[in-house]
Amino acid sequence: MISFTIALAALIVGYIIYGRVVERIFGPDGRPTPAISKADGIDYIAMPTWRVFMIQFLNIAGTGPIFGAIMGAWYGPAAYYWIVFGCIFAGATHDYLSGMLSIRNGGANLPTLVGSYLGTTARRIMLVFSVFLLLMVGVVFVYSPALLLNNFCLSTQVWVLIIFCYYVLATLLPIDKIIGKVYPLFAVSLLFMAVALMVVLFVKMPDLPEWWSNLDAANKNVPPSIFGVESYMSKNPLFPCLFLTIACGAISGFHATQTPLMARCIKSEKMARPVFYGSMITEGVVALIWATVSSYFFYYGGWREVVSPEVVSNFMAQVNAADGKTLVQYFTAPNVVNYVCTGWLGLLGGLLAVLGVVAAPVTSGDTAFRSARLIIAEALGIEQKSVSRRLLIAIPMFVLAIALLYWQMKSPDGFNTIWQWFGWANQTLAVITLWTVTVYLVLVRKAYWATLIPALFMTMVCTTYIFISPKALGLGHTLSYALGGVVTIVAAIAFAAWFRKQSNNK
């Protein structure tokens, strides 16, 4: 519990200190925000700061900080480092500065911002890239909550239909009609889940992997070969896979597609730090809690505490049947959520906690589709005040999403395939956003190092993954690291040359 407590305190201190540093770098002032200057009653609507914070938090807190943290716990306490440092110095910085940049540009969406600072070609690439990512987010965040709800009542297919119908309404109606009204309820359930699990952690004070722990000797009840963590890590090395697995809990490019939605609803620039930086830190806390719970679950026999003996015996029988499977493959992220919530919080508390987990993807999926509609509309110059114009874009978009969802449900490995490519696309989007903000900071003569350093690091992560992943090029580890390093060095040299040119022109 020592490492968890230190990490939790570090996130809070990071918001207070480094959040203020980032705020001073940008310099918010009293100019009218787009919510005031461009109010249209549909997407540009001034709302109370507490409501904007809740919507922003739920927009960005999909299954990433929960499912990603659970899978990231397989890497042990290294997950703590990435959540803390990634969240403070990369993710929250990324969210705040992209949100402020959107506010200063009239609530512009991400492709428009990229085009303004990286050029027309980059804008066109980003337009296609971001819409495709948002559709993947919407599809993934239909299926993952349906899998969780399937354990309580109705079938997965029925839940998919219900959630998808909600997405259609949330995408088409004014933002304050559904999203602005139901999100506070979703926020309560999500925060209940996080707080309840954190309280149980401090009450139980279970043995947890610490930064100095020997993980090879941690799980004494199950041989490492049967549990399967080592096998998983050999196929998915800590670098770069940890930094893609725990995405939304540390840094996520998807967030930059969501910040313009709240940039169009915030009343004052001075409220941007609690809304954008603060919501990312809050998401980091959620990820930290689930990484901690899952570390106990995987490494110190916590799974034996919350999984019934009959289920354990069944799992062990299947594992010992020489079919090549391991316990990690049976303890999927949705299963871990259900086991932990119901095992620690009882039936009612577990149900409320699971609903909190369900609220996360549902409230990200609806705004993903909404963001996609707005991005396409802006690119094509189609106004969105009339319902007919909204349908003109929404109908083809949802048809494509249904086709992708159908393939995902019918393909044996559909969900895992979409999830992995979503993770890479998500972090690649963060790279592009960080470079965009870096260029802006250089042009206005502000401390560009705040985004340059994470931009270079994430460039290394994303390019190395393309070289090393079996689903991409599948090169050897050494060669992949070398090529990832070369690409990053080339990016640094290109930036240095551009920076020198800008300096000479001033």
Side-chain angles (χ1 to χ4, degrees), residues 160-238:
V160 165
L161 179 61
I162 293 172
I163 295 171
F164 202 86
C165 289
Y166 163 74
Y167 282 177
V168 172
L169 291 175
T171 301
L172 294 174
L173 292 178
I175 197 168
D176 63 336
K177 298 303 180 185
I178 290 185
I179 293 176
K181 286 185 168 57
V182 303
Y183 268 37
L185 299 176
F186 284 142
V188 169
S189 60
L190 179 56
L191 292 175
F192 169 83
M193 173 271 297
V195 172
L197 291 178
M198 184 168 62
V199 168
V200 172
L201 280 173
F202 280 109
V203 170
K204 293 176 69 67
M205 296 294 286
D207 287 332
L208 296 171
E210 305 286 359
W211 285 319
W212 53 86
S213 296
N214 177 12
L215 294 182
D216 292 336
N219 198 344
K220 300 181 179 63
N221 296 320
V222 180
S225 60
I226 293 178
F227 202 76
V229 172
E230 290 79 1
S231 174
Y232 175 85
M233 291 179 63
S234 66
K235 300 175 183 177
N236 302 273
L238 188 147

Side-chain angles (χ1 to χ4, degrees), residues 47-376:
M47 292 192 290
T49 301
W50 67 268
R51 191 182 295 271
V52 177
F53 169 83
M54 283 190 173
I55 296 175
Q56 173 67 10
F57 172 53
L58 289 168
N59 283 355
I60 66 175
T63 49
I66 301 170
F67 286 10
I70 290 172
M71 293 184 286
W74 297 339
Y75 294 94
Y80 289 158
Y81 287 108
W82 176 229
I83 291 172
V84 172
F85 291 106
C87 193
I88 294 172
F89 298 106
T93 300
H94 165 280
D95 288 11
Y96 174 79
L97 292 176
S98 63
M100 285 299 296
L101 199 58
S102 178
I103 291 175
R104 288 289 174 88
N105 285 269
N109 59 43
L110 184 58
T112 299
L113 295 174
V114 171
S116 298
Y117 298 101
L118 298 186
T120 303
T121 301
R123 177 184 177 277
R124 291 170 180 166
I125 294 173
M126 179 55 62
L127 178 63
V128 176
F129 194 82
S130 58
V131 170
F132 181 66
L133 173 64
L134 288 168
L135 288 179
M136 281 199 297
V137 169
V139 170
V140 168
F141 290 173
V142 168
Y143 197 52
S144 53
L147 290 174
L148 289 168
L149 291 170
N150 179 50
N151 291 280
F152 292 93
C153 59
L154 303 180
S155 66
T156 301
Q157 290 77 10
V158 173
W159 280 116
V160 165
L161 179 61
I162 293 172
I163 295 171
F164 202 86
C165 289
Y166 163 74
Y167 282 177
V168 172
L169 291 175
T171 301
L172 294 174
L173 292 178
I175 197 168
D176 63 336
K177 298 303 180 185
I178 290 185
I179 293 176
K181 286 185 168 57
V182 303
Y183 268 37
L185 299 176
F186 284 142
V188 169
S189 60
L190 179 56
L191 292 175
F192 169 83
M193 173 271 297
V195 172
L197 291 178
M198 184 168 62
V199 168
V200 172
L201 280 173
F202 280 109
V203 170
K204 293 176 69 67
M205 296 294 286
D207 287 332
L208 296 171
E210 305 286 359
W211 285 319
W212 53 86
S213 296
N214 177 12
L215 294 182
D216 292 336
N219 198 344
K220 300 181 179 63
N221 296 320
V222 180
S225 60
I226 293 178
F227 202 76
V229 172
E230 290 79 1
S231 174
Y232 175 85
M233 291 179 63
S234 66
K235 300 175 183 177
N236 302 273
L238 188 147
F239 188 91
C241 294
L242 171 64
F243 305 94
L244 297 174
T245 301
I246 303 180
C248 297
I251 180 173
S252 168
F254 168 66
H255 297 183
T257 67
Q258 302 303 291
T259 51
L261 295 180
M262 293 303 97
R264 300 167 184 180
C265 298
I266 196 168
K267 291 181 178 179
S268 169
E269 287 189 353
K270 295 182 180 179
M271 293 296 102
R273 183 166 71 99
V275 168
F276 297 127
Y277 199 99
S279 60
M280 183 62 225
I281 293 294
T282 306
E283 185 176 9
V285 171
V286 173
L288 182 66
I289 290 170
W290 274 106
T292 303
V293 169
S294 303
S295 295
Y296 173 59
F297 186 94
F298 289 125
Y299 281 104
Y300 281 82
W303 58 281
R304 290 184 177 274
E305 177 183 325
V306 296
V307 180
S308 67
E310 294 79 11
V311 174
V312 171
S313 299
N314 182 46
F315 280 160
M316 294 302 293
Q318 294 182 65
V319 168
N320 291 324
D323 61 359
K325 292 186 177 180
T326 62
L327 283 179
V328 163
Q329 292 171 279
Y330 291 108
F331 291 142
T332 61
N335 284 339
V336 172
V337 168
N338 281 303
Y339 290 140
V340 169
C341 289
T342 56
W344 277 11
L345 304 176
L347 182 60
L348 179 59
L351 176 60
L352 291 174
V354 169
L355 289 177
V357 176
V358 168
V362 168
T363 52
S364 292
D366 57 7
T367 50
F369 283 121
R370 188 181 191 89
S371 297
R373 172 178 66 81
L374 292 171
I375 289 173
I376 295 171

Side-chain angles (χ1 to χ4, degrees), residues 391-404:
L391 287 172
L392 185 64
I393 295 174
I395 290 176
M397 182 178 70
F398 281 121
V399 168
L400 181 58
I402 290 172
L404 189 59

